[in-house]
Amino acid sequence: MPSRKFADGEVVRGRWPGSSLYYEVEILSHDSASQLYTVKYKDGTELELKEGDIKPLTSFRQKKSGSTSSSPSRRRGNRSRSRSRSRSPGRSPGRSPGRSPGRSPGRSPGRPPKSSRQPASASHHADIKEMRKEVLEVKLTPLVLKPFGNSISRHNGEPEHTEWNDIAHKAPQEKFHLSQESSYISAQYSLRPRGEENKLKEIEFKEEKIVTKGPASLRSMEVTATPAKDLEFGGVPGALLIMLGLPAFVFLLLLLCEQEEPSLLNFPPPLPALSDIWETRVFGVYLLWFFVQALFYLLPIGKVVEGTPLTDGRRLKYRLNGFRALLLTAAALGAALLCGAGADLLFVYRHFRQLALAALAFSAALSAYLYARARRAPPGELSPASSGNVIYDFFIGRELNPRVGVFDLKYFCELRPGLIGWVVINLVMLLAEMKFQNRATPSLAMILVNSFQLLYVVDALWNEEAVLTTMDITHDGFGFMLAFGDLVWVPFTYSLQAFYLVHHPNEVSWPVASLIIALKICGYIIFRCANAQKNAFRKNPTDPRLAHLKTIHTSTGKNLLVSGWWGFVRHPNYLGDLIMALAWSLPCGFNHILPYFYVIYFTVLLVHREARDERQCRRKYGVAWDRYCQRVPYRILPYVY
Ligand code: NDP
């Protein structure tokens, strides 16, 4: 086994990749397998270097006192001794890594920061000239392009934030050049933070391709991220199964809920006739509901905000008026009730199954439309989750932000027709309970379920802006998964507790109700505070109200909270959400598992979602995410999971 030349802790000089400049570094470790040393520069940057790129400090001193070697490293070493202390290769604000190889190499990644350059002198100019030549030679070396898509800017282990901005505002050819340059440099030197190399190998964007459009000009070259290899949700078979299974499951739940005795002995429930589940008039009512909500969405009221930056640096604009849409809907319903049209609202109860099928038919048609229009969408507008496979893309959605003019279809469907529809259905169930159980007032159980879920929807719409940073908006396309989820699954299965109570009354005493309310409040506080803390931190990381929180620095420039709610578990918001889910079910008693369907399903959903998010965060943050996981070992429930 070859022996190592430098010991851990030894202070030496390490060559800065892409240049022949040497800086003072400390040896941190040595990997005998790769024969690479992990070294730390004075600014904290950690890189892996080959032994040939490391020189003992003494060799520089000796050379200064008499050597006339023409070796570039020796000559530069002579000169650098007096100045290298102030020339850390760390990022300086004036340094742009997004320069193309064709540009002046003086500002390539191999170049030290401008601010630390020496005043010009004859020998200095000669050195610069030589260095330029060298760097040019380096850049002109043939290379195998291995772009990492979005990850290109994190190769050098330095803060990526400014690089992202640089990339976003540069011409397309510069984006391409950067990827070339980064790929080259990272192939020659391990420029990633220690350990990140292995993580990057796991990156799922393995099949990115270079798409050349138009004439053979570099200007029109784009790097696109298609297709991702490891498809989520069980890939194509999983997507097929979900698309066929979940709609059937919704109807099974509704049929079970209507049964007097929904037990295994009565399984399966009798299948309804087609006329019991489809009525064109009901479909018309559903369309009316959808388009009235669309009208509310288009009203020029409410703040307009920008979403997260897209891959090309653009930010889409979104109008925040979901809460107002809820108020308008409530005003319309209130007016209907005051005018004695409460009985008409029971239409929804009497045609519940037909409405569910109408919503399903609409979401399927919408998905087909979305897929068809996405065939013509430019590659840059496709969702990073899309794969190129027809079935999978129909499910996950091909286009990231499908819009008709200013009407954003995904954003609209996320929070409006389904979420507002859910609380309207709950209200209808409350009226139905009073009617069918001959009650003058709704039961306490029904009031608890209605108010808990109303609070949830009000909270979501009040904090509508938060949806813009969720993976639904930033990662997943708009296809069957979200269309069905938003328009069918949410309103027709989340209202199951209220639907159940219409047929299965449960008397809740005030002491029990108080405990359930306490549980709900506890869940809500965790959920709201955790979400608020992260949103505030993402909005303004220097917010003085968050100054007491500890953070972990990541190579993207974005930090991770490691104390406060996000130091308690890695998804405190999911924990709060699950506690609330339990509080929604408890008022229904313990006679049947049906009202607990939501808690069970939601646990599965959030465990799966957490795993998806974790994968994406590991891809984004590399070693920093691993450090976060070490510091905060539990994902959702402390000491359990
Ligand atoms: P989250 O709000 O949990 O956000 C996850 C993102 O937060 C990560 O991708 C990362 O993004 C950032 N992040 C993670 N850890 C940290 C940290 N330590 N410090 C700072 N930022 C961090 O995402 P979801 O969209 O899954 O959930 C949003 C809410 O919606 C949750 O409360 C959830 O319970 C709820 N929800 C409800 C559903 C329902 O049907 N009722 C369904 C799904 C979600 P980055 O670093 O890029 O900012």
Side-chain angles (χ1 to χ4, degrees), residues 456 494 531 538 558 561 573-574 577 609 613 620-621:
Y456 192 73
Y494 286 22
N531 278 325
R538 280 286 172 253
K558 264 175 160 184
L561 288 167
N573 50 353
Y574 289 1
D577 222 340
R609 196 173 170 98
D613 189 52
K620 264 187 285 186
Y621 300 124

Side-chain angles (χ1 to χ4, degrees), residues 183-202:
S183 303
Y184 173 74
I185 300 241
S186 62
Q188 293 298 302
Y189 302 90
S190 191
L191 284 179
R192 295 160 200 140
R194 204 155 35 113
E196 194 166 350
E197 198 143 14
N198 290 338
K199 301 289 165 208
L200 280 170
K201 282 182 187 150
E202 293 163 19

